[in-house]
């Protein structure tokens, strides 16, 4: 016999499990970002101290110009490195959230299909049209999600290629300045 209370309870348990996974993933990503920012702050402080010490030992204008160029290159390298690391973290986090969303949608779709099947077995005669309409709606929703997912992956792939190209150009620019 069809028991909607059990299905609602199972649905609630699944939602709690998904929310727990989402919260854990969010905390993990926040911790990674915090570590990155703390490391960047320490590196910036160390570079500032090093720059101040080097500036204190400058003896003429040529040394000052050379120091300024060196410090600018170092800061550019640091900024490019930080940006690349931040982008990699964001990409990794996005992949984690995408996988979680796909899993949640799969569980939801399977649960809804089971609910419709169970409900249709105990539905009164003549309700086949409504059940079929609901099944059709579920199939259309699933197909739309699949299309959205494919389009999102294409956009992410294009954005990834553009960011990597920009990072490579910035890295070449920094190297080109060093050679000059």
């Amino acid at each position: 016999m069809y028991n909607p209370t059990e299905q609602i309870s199972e649905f609630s348990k699944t939602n709690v499990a998904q929310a727990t996974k989402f919260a854990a993933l969010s905390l993990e990503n926040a911790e990674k970002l915090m570590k990155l920012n703390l490391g960047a702050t320490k590196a910036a402080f160390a570079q500032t101290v090093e720059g101040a010490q080097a500036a204190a030992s400058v003896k003429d204008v040529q040394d000052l110009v050379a120091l300024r160029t060196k410090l600018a290159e170092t800061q550019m390298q640091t900024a490019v490195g930080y940006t690349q690391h931040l982008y990699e973290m964001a990409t990794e986090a996005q992949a984690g959230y995408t996988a979680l969303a796909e899993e949640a949608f799969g569980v939801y779709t399977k649960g809804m299909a089971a609910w419709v099947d169970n409900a249709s077995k105990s539905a009164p005669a003549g309700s086949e049209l409504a059940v079929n309409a609901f099944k059709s709606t579920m199939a259309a929703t699933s197909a739309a999600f699949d299309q959205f997912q494919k389009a999102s992956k294409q956009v992410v792939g294009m954005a990834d290629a553009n960011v990597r190209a920009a990072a490579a150009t910035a890295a070449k620019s920094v190297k080109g300045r060093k050679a000059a």
Side-chain angles (χ1 to χ4, degrees):
M1 170 148 190
Y2 172 63
N3 186 350
T5 306
E6 287 178 20
Q7 281 190 313
I8 291 171
S9 175
E10 190 61 34
F11 184 69
S12 294
K13 288 177 186 176
T14 301
N15 283 341
V16 168
Q18 291 295 328
T20 302
K21 288 178 185 178
F22 179 80
L25 183 60
S26 296
L27 288 172
E28 178 184 329
N29 289 321
E31 183 179 9
K32 288 178 184 178
L33 181 60
M34 191 173 64
K35 285 180 181 178
L36 175 67
N37 286 334
L38 184 59
T41 302
K42 287 180 179 180
F45 179 72
Q47 286 177 353
T48 301
V49 169
E50 183 181 316
Q53 289 171 343
S57 65
V58 168
K59 295 184 171 85
D60 62 21
V61 174
Q62 284 182 328
D63 287 347
L64 183 62
V65 170
L67 175 64
R68 181 175 167 253
T69 302
K70 180 185 172 202
L71 291 176
E73 288 172 357
T74 302
Q75 290 171 350
M76 179 65 98
Q77 287 174 337
T78 302
V80 168
Y82 174 82
T83 303
Q84 285 176 328
H85 198 149
L86 186 62
Y87 176 74
E88 289 167 5
M89 286 176 50
T91 301
E92 184 181 316
Q94 184 267 337
Y97 289 121
T98 298
L100 190 60
E102 289 171 358
E103 177 188 339
F105 188 75
V107 168
Y108 170 76
T109 302
K110 189 187 297 183
M112 286 301 293
W115 180 79
V116 169
D117 285 342
N118 288 334
S120 66
K121 290 175 185 172
S122 47
S127 62
E128 294 83 17
L129 184 63
V131 170
N132 288 337
F134 193 79
K135 285 181 180 181
S136 177
T137 300
M138 288 298 297
T141 301
S142 183
F145 182 78
D146 288 344
Q147 287 299 322
F148 175 75
Q149 186 179 17
K150 288 176 186 175
S152 295
K153 286 180 180 179
Q154 287 177 340
V155 168
V156 168
M158 289 176 14
D160 184 56
N162 289 336
V163 168
R164 290 187 189 282
T169 301
K172 285 179 186 176
S173 174
V174 169
K175 288 178 184 174
R177 286 186 180 150
K178 276 188 166 183

